[in-house]
């Protein structure tokens, strides 16, 4: 949870209002050049946030976050909060 908060608030231009984390199955694979075995823990973070820096957030949306991007991790998705939920 601390990693997710740090990634959002310090490195992604967001101010978290509410978050929930859910552990996911571990990603496993081999590194191509030397067939070294890779094991990567995964967690889904969901919640609501306020955008504090749209330039940084745009960059994170385009490039992702964290070291597990090649395993489908670190992808960000955004959706507006419905007016009824505000």
């Amino acid at each position: 949870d601390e990693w997710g908060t740090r990634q959002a608030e310090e490195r992604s231009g967001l101010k978290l209002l509410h978050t929930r984390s859910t552990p996911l199955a571990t990603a496993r694979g081999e590194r191509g050049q030397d067939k070294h075995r890779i094991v990567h823990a995964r967690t889904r973070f969901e919640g609501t946030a306020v955008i504090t820096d749209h330039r940084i957030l745009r960059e994170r949306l385009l490039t992702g976050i964290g070291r597990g991007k090649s395993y489908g991790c670190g992808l960000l998705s955004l959706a507006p909060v419905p007016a009824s939920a505000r």
Side-chain angles (χ1 to χ4, degrees):
D1 288 346
E2 290 175 11
W3 181 88
T5 298
R6 189 172 55 252
Q7 291 297 315
E9 293 191 343
E10 296 176 14
R11 299 181 182 162
S12 299
L14 297 169
K15 172 64 178 158
L16 298 178
L17 303 176
H18 171 267
T19 60
R20 176 180 64 212
S21 61
T22 306
L24 300 174
T26 301
R28 299 176 188 279
E30 290 182 349
R31 187 167 50 199
Q33 65 259 46
D34 61 6
K35 303 296 184 194
H36 181 77
R37 215 175 139 174
I38 303 293
V39 178
H40 192 76
R42 300 183 311 149
T43 303
R44 175 183 294 133
F45 296 96
E46 298 177 283
T48 55
V50 174
I51 298 171
T52 58
D53 189 324
H54 69 276
R55 289 179 193 96
I56 294 173
L57 181 58
R58 181 180 185 279
E59 181 64 26
R60 291 294 185 196
L61 285 169
L62 293 172
T63 62
I65 59 172
R67 296 181 295 168
K69 292 185 287 285
S70 59
Y71 299 96
C73 303
L75 307 175
L76 299 177
S77 299
L78 299 178
V81 176
S84 61
R86 292 181 194 161

